[in-house]
Amino acid sequence: MESYSAVLQRLRTAFLSGVTVPEQFRRTQLNQLLRLLQENEEKIVEALHKDLAKPKFEAVVADLALVINELGYALSNLWSWLQPEHVRRNLATKVDDCFVRREPFGVVLIIGPWNYPIQLLLLPLVAAIAAGNCVVIKPSEVSPAVEAVIAELIPKYMSPDCFTVVCGGAEETKALLNNKFDHIFYTGSQAVARIVLQAAAPHLTPVTLELGGKSPCYIHDQVNILVAARRVAWAKFFNMGQSCVAPDYVLCTVAMRDALVPAIKQVLEEFYSSEPQKSPDLARIVSPKHWTRLMGLLGQSKGRVVLGGESDEADKYISPTVLVDVSEDDALMKEEIFGPLLPIITVGSVEEAIDFINRQEKPLALYAFSNDYNVINTVLERTSSGGFCSNDGIIYMTLPGLPFGGVGSSGFGNYHGRWGFETFSHKRAVMLRGWALERLNGLRYPPYTDSNLSWLRWTAAPKLCSIM
Ligand code: NAD
């Protein structure tokens, strides 16, 4: 097997040859990735089903279609993204050509998780290709069927000199991280993110961290309750709750809780029938280890199960479960749930909900439901999160115009659409000067005088930008 350093050397040689720089090369690779997805939809859907029992609908919507849309968006905008961005000049630089040039970093590493193992690996790949980088792609070993499909298909469709897949788990990833990359894009848990950051430090490699956290969902008293229940339940139980942007817990008043529980019960029956385990529309927990972790949380919780609570270890199944009487120090509130358990925590008012949210780490997503725009705006203004969506969940992250990423412990850096292209590009400041205006330039040369200093201040003053 080729060593990791040999893999990197191969990609670095390709990068330094300049092959990835022309727009046409990037377009060809983006189109090849599009072909890969279109020609292998069935195979990919099957692999997602094998790993997570992911329903075809969810596989297409959240893994395939999102990447296909992103590819379309990148292909339509690539030309404009690649144009130099001219900046305003002052009198001293009036005849110079001053612009920002987006350049690829070089050889970058993308490490993906298992919950949306296609989307979360290939969306950053689209951005990295658009920006002109060579890429080492590291899928998660926890979703082995998808890992195998990625390892088989990428070399068939993409330039093998510029894009390569490295498989394996923690040991392989750690060994890979011993090498110098020009950027690392990591999606996954906070614990592993620390390992990635430490590995990047000796090389001073810039890192993007797409992490998780506990995304709150505040439901105000005045809402369309059945629609709110439908949207919250869909966002929570999609992919069996294994979404980084799933509502982690609900905050509402006692009155709202008492109305919400029967509404969620009705909605769950609409979605998954009265026998959810038999529903083809519910995915499964990814592995016995993850199932055991979730059942441990459920066992330790002092909350009262009011909906669901059934489980089947052999089937890696936990029914959509709602708990009430959950306190802030409950086991369910100590870590990101990342599964089909929805605690409802009661608060007295929107103010209390905001205080509660601000006592926790900054979340990846924050959802607020209300008929009253002032309430939504108050929550938006007085909290911080990676993304925010009113009266719905998850859906904000499907729009390539919006940056996707965390803040604080939910990560740093972002991607999707142009934001991803920017993440994988170095913004190089360029000033192309000629030989003109040497008398003006002469003001800066010794011997220094007070009069030259005044003139220099005047020519460099920003207010001149608007005059000139
Ligand atoms: P994970 O951190 O266990 O694994 C992610 C990647 O890291 C895998 O490729 C794995 O091989 C590698 N890895 C695992 N252990 C390692 C180690 N010790 N050293 C080096 N590499 C290692 O994460 P996960 O369980 O796959 O994902 C779950 C977490 O990811 C949740 O917290 C979730 O919220 C978060 N997440 C965030 C996003 C986002 O876009 N912000 C998306 C999905 C998941």
Side-chain angles (χ1 to χ4, degrees):
M1 199 185 82
E2 199 180 7
S3 71
Y4 293 150
S5 59
V7 168
L8 257 93
Q9 192 50 50
R10 181 162 55 80
L11 266 60
R12 197 163 293 288
T13 304
F15 179 74
L16 291 174
S17 77
V19 64
T20 61
V21 173
E23 183 185 341
Q24 194 47 50
F25 175 86
R26 307 184 199 196
R27 283 192 182 280
T28 306
Q29 297 305 312
L30 292 171
N31 277 312
Q32 282 297 101
L33 190 53
L34 190 58
R35 274 190 54 214
L36 181 158
L37 294 173
Q38 287 167 339
E39 291 173 7
N40 297 281
E41 174 170 323
E42 213 174 301
K43 195 180 238 184
I44 293 169
V45 167
E46 238 172 63
L48 287 164
H49 195 269
K50 229 177 182 174
D51 286 336
L52 288 141
K54 209 177 263 226
K56 178 176 179 183
F57 188 95
E58 293 187 4
V60 171
V61 166
D63 274 289
L64 287 158
L66 267 186
V67 185
I68 290 172
N69 291 347
E70 183 87 356
L71 280 160
Y73 193 84
L75 283 162
S76 324
N77 290 289
L78 187 61
W79 180 85
S80 67
W81 293 346
L82 293 176
Q83 299 315 300
E85 181 187 338
H86 289 272
V87 297
R88 295 183 80 167
R89 293 160 298 182
N90 51 24
L91 184 58
T93 54
K94 200 65 200 166
V95 296
D96 302 326
D97 200 4
C98 304
F99 55 91
V100 182
R101 208 178 118 88
R102 266 74 182 173
E103 297 187 346
F105 283 121
V107 180
V108 304
L109 171 64
I110 296 174
I111 305 177
W114 50 262
N115 58 335
Y116 295 93
I118 292 291
Q119 183 215 133
L120 297 171
L121 196 67
L122 300 190
L123 277 189
L125 179 61
V126 172
I129 297 170
N133 296 282
C134 289
V135 189
V136 175
I137 304 156
K138 161 65 187 71
S140 174
E141 77 287 6
V142 181
S143 42
V146 172
E147 183 191 36
V149 166
I150 291 283
E152 177 204 332
L153 296 179
I154 292 282
K156 274 194 193 160
Y157 284 81
M158 315 288 297
S159 157
D161 292 335
C162 302
F163 307 102
T164 204
V165 179
V166 168
C167 294
E171 287 320 306
E172 289 81 358
T173 314
K174 277 192 218 157
L176 193 56
L177 284 167
N178 284 333
N179 296 279
K180 179 174 165 57
F181 289 91
D182 299 304
H183 191 93
I184 300 173
F185 189 102
Y186 171 80
T187 304
S189 67
Q190 292 164 358
V192 175
R194 289 189 180 92
I195 295 172
V196 172
L197 265 185
Q198 274 168 9
H203 304 294
L204 297 178
T205 300
V207 174
T208 301
L209 296 180
E210 295 284 340
L211 313 178
K214 294 182 79 63
S215 298
C217 177
Y218 172 66
I219 305 185
H220 192 59
D221 277 356
Q222 277 82 46
V223 286
N224 183 335
I225 189 124
L226 206 55
V227 176
R230 221 172 259 137
R231 294 183 184 185
V232 171
W234 178 76
K236 177 70 186 183
F237 301 114
F238 193 89
N239 202 30
M240 203 46 150
Q242 301 164 113
S243 305
C244 53
V245 284
D248 190 85
Y249 60 94
V250 166
L251 288 170
C252 63
T253 61
V254 171
M256 172 48 60
R257 177 200 66 191
D258 292 345
L260 191 62
V261 171
I264 295 181
K265 182 174 193 298
Q266 178 183 332
V267 162
L268 289 179
E269 283 192 14
E270 279 172 21
F271 286 0
Y272 309 118
S273 83
S274 52
E275 291 183 278
Q277 192 172 359
K278 292 194 181 145
S279 167
D281 299 330
L282 261 183
R284 289 297 183 266
I285 306 302
V286 71
S287 74
K289 187 177 129 201
H290 291 79
W291 184 90
T292 305
R293 180 187 68 83
L294 283 162
M295 291 307 293
L297 283 183
L298 191 56
Q300 287 161 42
S301 172
K302 297 205 167 54
R304 186 160 51 91
V305 172
V306 285
L307 297 175
E310 298 85 22
S311 59
D312 178 347
E313 185 169 8
D315 191 22
K316 290 177 282 174
Y317 173 78
I318 301 174
S319 61
T321 297
V322 177
L323 298 100
V324 297
D325 302 339
V326 175
S327 62
E328 196 170 343
D329 60 357
D330 192 83
L332 286 171
M333 295 306 293
K334 295 224 185 308
E335 60 184 87
E336 180 183 3
I337 294 173
F338 220 56
L341 312 174
L342 182 64
I344 300 180
I345 295 178
T346 51
V347 285
S349 63
V350 64
E351 297 296 325
E352 258 188 47
I354 289 169
D355 289 346
F356 187 101
I357 291 165
N358 289 337
R359 280 199 299 276
Q360 323 300 318
E361 296 283 0
K362 290 183 182 175
L364 182 58
L366 202 162
Y367 307 113
F369 286 69
S370 175
N371 293 341
D372 184 347
Y373 176 74
N374 289 324
V375 170
I376 301 285
N377 205 38
T378 304
V379 179
L380 177 60
E381 292 256 321
R382 306 236 330 256
T383 57
S384 173
S385 61
F388 180 92
C389 180
S390 74
N391 298 327
D392 214 329
I394 294 187
I395 215 78
Y396 77 96
M397 57 101 44
T398 59
L399 210 57
L402 290 174
F404 182 71
V407 60
S409 65
S410 53
F412 50 79
N414 46 48
Y415 69 129
H416 287 191
R418 174 153 198 161
W419 304 95
F421 170 80
E422 295 288 342
T423 286
F424 283 102
S425 299
H426 165 55
K427 273 66 79 181
R428 190 173 186 186
V430 181
M431 180 183 280
L432 298 181
R433 306 210 89 184
W435 302 104
L437 301 184
E438 185 55 8
R439 282 196 67 176
L440 191 61
N441 282 317
L443 295 173
R444 65 187 149 115
Y445 301 140
Y448 299 135
T449 65
D450 287 347
S451 140
N452 281 357
L453 183 57
S454 313
W455 277 106
L456 210 57
R457 280 184 203 268
W458 189 72
T459 59
K463 64 177 183 291
L464 286 172
C465 299
S466 51
I467 301 171
M468 303 305 293

